[in-house]
Amino acid sequence: MFISELAGKDLDFILVIKFLMFAMPRIIPLVLPLSVLLASIMSFGDFAENYEFAAMKSAGISLQRTMKFLTFFILILSCGAFIFANNVIPYSEFKFINFRKDIAQIKPAMAIAEGQFSDVGSYNIKVDKKSGENGNFLTGITIHKKSNNFDGSKNVIKAKNGELISNEKSNILKLVLNDGYYYEDIVPEKYEERNKIPFAKSSFKKYIIYIDLSKLNNTNSEDYTITNTNSMLNLSELKYTIDSLENNRKKDIISFVDNSYQRTVAQAYFSANKALNDSITASKIKNPDLISNFTPQDQSAILQLANSSIINTNYMIDSTEQELESKTKVINSHWIAFYDKFVIAFACILMFFIGAPLGAIIRKGGLGLPIVFAVLIFIIYHFVNTFGKKIAQEDGLTPFLGCWMATFILTPFACLLTYRATNDIGFINMDVVLLPFQKLFKKIFPSQNQ
């Protein structure tokens, strides 16, 4: 996931190890349930394959008694997983984000690789060669500036050499370019002139570009505190943040309603025409068709105002709807992070009660069939879990159902396996499957049965 940030960036080996160590805890929620599932299938499958369960049962030891101590161990492991998810993972995420930012401040040249375009904020930068102790001196610079106009215009900057200047206490990276040219496409107002593709060219001896360091690693502090802090917070901090975000959304809704009322036609028109407001009273309104009570000039003004008010209101509704949807997604992502801390703990228990009875039923240990079963079950769990979270974040489901969907689906399966294993019932009774085909075969070929 982070190889593009590590490869070709002149990073020390110690920095790479620290980078990976801070990133590792986020993988634990994915690895731990699979490890529990695979270990339980392999262990109980090995017991059953070597007839050790048969020996235990002949000695009066049931499967429930065999699983008793392991169940206690899994409960402790689940509590540890919850504490890990609530404390260690948020701390590692905090250190990880700040470590990436520190690398960008100490060695800003790491954001730019030689011989290829590197996406740095609103610029795509390519250099032929980097030199200097920290790679701050650049040679053969080509910069494409991203356009926000969506009109096809492009800005290109070329320079013979340049220098990256940064300060550990500042979030601003200074790029000084020397001896170059600035090319800018010009989009004519007349469409027929656009085929000529006109552009403007200027030369410079020195050109300075300021880049926000937070954009080097997509860690803009303002955006991050709004949208991405969910992985850096524990339960109490998440609850506090969610309450703040929900109150902020409610205030936006109330403000939108108030603004919509203030922008109504009657409010706007009659407040601007007090004389007309005084002349039109309930006693003077004779026609139930309200617009006909006005003069033609006033009717025209009211209708024009109504038309513009409808257009503006529709635009305001669309923009507010998009803003509220984005805030809802942020709130949902925080709720998902909140429930995830409980899901990882319950997932360990769930995978144990799937793996242990399944291993006792299939009676195969080692690294063969148990791995196949473990991978298939975990793929189903992971797919449903990811699917539920994505839908919940898009507000298609409640975050609670999205996070717990996979456990709700697999819990009955775990109960079924535990019941069949403790009662010495196989996973699938082949007689139930084959008996209808045997009866059908006897009806079709009665002579062969004799």
Side-chain angles (χ1 to χ4, degrees), residues 349-365:
I349 302 174
L350 177 65
M351 292 302 166
F352 172 73
F353 281 99
I354 290 177
L358 185 61
I361 291 173
I362 63 176
R363 299 179 181 180
K364 287 291 183 181

Side-chain angles (χ1 to χ4, degrees), residues 399-414:
F400 178 82
L401 286 178
C403 289
W404 290 94
M405 179 186 294
T407 56
F408 287 159
I409 292 175
L410 291 181
T411 297
F413 182 62

Side-chain angles (χ1 to χ4, degrees), residues 5 11 15 18-19 22 94-111 134 166-171 213-214 216-217 219:
E5 297 186 25
L11 293 178
L15 290 178
K18 289 179 67 176
F19 188 92
F22 287 140
F94 174 78
K95 297 291 290 185
F96 177 69
I97 294 299
N98 285 276
F99 186 68
R100 294 171 73 188
K101 187 175 180 180
D102 291 342
I103 291 177
Q105 288 177 328
I106 297 171
K107 303 187 69 174
M110 68 164 288
N134 293 322
S166 64
N167 188 342
E168 295 183 12
K169 298 181 179 179
S170 174
N171 286 328
L213 273 177
S214 58
L216 290 175
N217 291 311
T219 56

Side-chain angles (χ1 to χ4, degrees), residues 51 105 125 140-141 160 176 198 257 281 298 332-333 364 371 404 447:
Y51 301 100
Q105 288 177 328
I125 303 176
I141 305 170
K160 292 183 178 180
V176 181
V257 173
T281 60
D298 291 333
N332 290 339
S333 65
K364 287 291 183 181
I371 288 184
W404 290 94
S447 59

Side-chain angles (χ1 to χ4, degrees), residues 198-216:
F199 71 95
K201 175 184 176 181
S202 60
S203 61
F204 57 85
K205 289 294 182 181
K206 186 176 182 180
Y207 187 80
I208 300 176
I209 297 176
Y210 294 94
I211 303 174
D212 189 353
L213 273 177
S214 58
K215 296 181 180 179
L216 290 175

Side-chain angles (χ1 to χ4, degrees), residues 197-266:
I197 314 179
F199 71 95
K201 175 184 176 181
S202 60
S203 61
F204 57 85
K205 289 294 182 181
K206 186 176 182 180
Y207 187 80
I208 300 176
I209 297 176
Y210 294 94
I211 303 174
D212 189 353
L213 273 177
S214 58
K215 296 181 180 179
L216 290 175
N217 291 311
N218 298 322
T219 56
N220 185 282
S221 57
E222 295 180 358
D223 293 339
Y224 195 85
T225 55
I226 297 173
T227 59
N228 295 326
T229 52
N230 47 21
S231 61
M232 297 168 56
L233 304 178
N234 56 31
L235 287 179
S236 59
E237 293 169 340
L238 279 169
K239 195 70 175 67
Y240 177 81
T241 304
I242 290 170
D243 290 339
S244 300
L245 292 173
E246 288 182 342
N247 290 333
N248 186 25
R249 184 179 61 177
K250 290 178 182 178
K251 291 179 180 178
D252 289 343
I253 294 174
I254 294 173
S255 176
F256 169 72
V257 173
D258 292 339
N259 290 335
S260 299
Y261 173 75
Q262 296 295 332
R263 293 170 64 91
T264 56
V265 176

Side-chain angles (χ1 to χ4, degrees), residues 140-159:
I141 305 170
T142 302
I143 300 176
H144 290 179
K145 186 177 180 181
K146 300 176 185 177
S147 175
N148 297 324
N149 299 326
F150 303 101
D151 54 6
S153 61
K154 297 178 182 178
N155 297 336
V156 180
I157 305 172
K158 294 183 68 69

